[in-house]
Amino acid sequence: MLSATPHDGKAESFASLVNMLDPTAIANPADYTQHDYRDKSLVIRRFKKDVRDQLQGNFPERQIEVVKTQATAAEEEAYARLMDVSFHNLDGRGQGVGQLFRTTLEKALFPSPAACLSTVRNRMARLRKRLEKERDGERQTTLVEDLDTLQGLEVELQAITPEQFSKYQLLRRQLCDGLGWAPMDPNDRLVLFTESLVTLDFLAKRLPDDLKLNTATSSSRRTRPESAPRSAASGRKRAPPGPRCTTSGRCTRSWNGSPTAC
């Protein structure tokens, strides 16, 4: 049995795979150690570097190209507003908490305006619930001020339409021209990875129409959070017939650089 992604990280899941090979290998899937299966020749872990010499020519070098674009006026205004905000009521304690949440919003803006807008609206909903329960007049005032601040940021983010979303427009140009992708060719498959599920939903909604794809040639899927790559990646490979444009989301933070051709 060979697997590139063997399990979801849970001890029980790994034990179930080992027990498929030898039902007696792990007696208690919820309580075991490596010593329970180490000497039974059931698990071999190999990295690319371990087999590269044996498979020369099968591991082409990755080609990485960083592509930059100029932010639009709407994006600049939203970012300027974000850098100017301050908050009174946050879940954390101590100095620097306001800066921490602003950094959270900044990181949410990198994937897409939609991702940042989702973060803002989630925080607004939490503040409204706190305001309903709050009886202290001074605290009510600060909650209202924070809501006003977030509402102002919400307006700025809403102004970043898909047409004003510079990285999305760059992505469209790269898909149409820069990568040489043939969307009508059933053997030419394109995979886009995002780290924000909100961004994934945005791409799944916009790309089929903007690229004139139908449901037979595009799909989106969500995968379990694993490692967190820090830039956008688009993978090109020849593949059997199937969805020719797939967006795949890992619940991490961003496709915050420009698209990278692999």
Side-chain angles (χ1 to χ4, degrees), residues 101 117-133 143 146-147 150-151 154:
F101 181 59
L117 188 59
S118 175
T119 302
V120 167
R121 287 174 172 169
N122 287 340
R123 181 52 62 100
M124 289 171 63
R126 290 162 64 180
L127 289 180
R128 289 190 180 104
K129 289 182 180 180
R130 291 176 60 181
L131 184 59
E132 291 174 358
K133 299 178 181 179
L143 285 169
D146 282 353
L147 280 169
L150 289 171
Q151 286 171 346
E154 179 186 32

Side-chain angles (χ1 to χ4, degrees), residues 133-161:
K133 299 178 181 179
E134 186 60 60
R135 294 296 178 262
D136 180 86
E138 183 177 351
R139 183 61 62 84
Q140 287 177 338
T141 299
T142 59
L143 285 169
V144 170
E145 289 176 355
D146 282 353
L147 280 169
D148 289 342
T149 298
L150 289 171
Q151 286 171 346
L153 184 56
E154 179 186 32
V155 171
E156 298 286 358
L157 291 169
Q158 287 175 316
I160 308 175
T161 63

Side-chain angles (χ1 to χ4, degrees), residues 172-185:
R172 285 185 58 190
R173 293 193 297 271
Q174 288 291 306
L175 295 184
C176 294
D177 302 317
L179 295 178
W181 176 49
M184 297 300 107
D185 182 353

Side-chain angles (χ1 to χ4, degrees), residues 10-233:
K10 296 180 181 179
E12 292 85 352
S13 299
F14 180 76
S16 68
L17 292 177
V18 173
N19 285 339
M20 288 175 63
L21 302 174
D22 182 352
T24 66
I26 298 177
N28 184 357
D31 183 17
Y32 66 93
T33 67
Q34 184 181 4
H35 296 285
D36 293 316
Y37 61 84
R38 184 177 61 183
D39 298 329
K40 298 183 179 181
S41 301
L42 298 175
V43 179
I44 301 175
R45 187 178 187 183
R46 291 289 184 268
F47 295 96
K48 184 186 294 186
K49 62 181 178 62
D50 298 323
V51 297
R52 184 182 296 274
D53 293 339
Q54 304 172 41
L55 298 173
Q56 291 183 358
N58 290 279
F59 293 130
E61 292 297 323
R62 177 178 297 178
Q63 299 178 10
I64 298 177
E65 179 184 357
V66 177
V67 186
K68 298 182 180 180
T69 186
Q70 182 67 40
T72 63
E75 290 173 320
E76 293 283 10
E77 291 175 8
Y79 189 78
R81 169 65 72 95
L82 177 57
M83 291 298 97
D84 194 44
V85 299
S86 60
F87 300 96
H88 302 287
N89 299 276
L90 295 165
D91 296 334
R93 294 287 187 271
Q95 296 181 349
V97 176
Q99 175 65 33
L100 179 61
F101 181 59
R102 189 169 65 182
T103 300
T104 297
L105 291 175
E106 184 180 5
K107 288 183 177 181
L109 181 57
F110 288 154
S112 65
C116 189
L117 188 59
S118 175
T119 302
V120 167
R121 287 174 172 169
N122 287 340
R123 181 52 62 100
M124 289 171 63
R126 290 162 64 180
L127 289 180
R128 289 190 180 104
K129 289 182 180 180
R130 291 176 60 181
L131 184 59
E132 291 174 358
K133 299 178 181 179
E134 186 60 60
R135 294 296 178 262
D136 180 86
E138 183 177 351
R139 183 61 62 84
Q140 287 177 338
T141 299
T142 59
L143 285 169
V144 170
E145 289 176 355
D146 282 353
L147 280 169
D148 289 342
T149 298
L150 289 171
Q151 286 171 346
L153 184 56
E154 179 186 32
V155 171
E156 298 286 358
L157 291 169
Q158 287 175 316
I160 308 175
T161 63
E163 293 71 25
Q164 293 292 318
F165 183 10
S166 61
K167 284 186 288 187
Y168 176 66
Q169 294 304 321
L170 175 63
L171 174 63
R172 285 185 58 190
R173 293 193 297 271
Q174 288 291 306
L175 295 184
C176 294
D177 302 317
L179 295 178
W181 176 49
M184 297 300 107
D185 182 353
N187 292 317
D188 194 0
R189 178 174 296 178
L190 179 75
V191 181
L192 303 176
F193 290 94
T194 78
E195 297 186 40
S196 162
L197 294 182
V198 178
T199 303
L200 169 67
D201 292 337
F202 169 82
L203 293 175
K205 180 179 179 180
R206 294 287 312 192
L207 278 178
D209 289 339
D210 290 346
L211 298 181
K212 295 180 173 55
L213 302 175
N214 56 42
T215 55
T217 58
S218 65
S219 69
S220 66
R221 62 188 64 177
R222 300 179 180 221
T223 59
R224 183 182 180 276
E226 296 176 334
S227 59
R230 293 299 176 187
S231 63

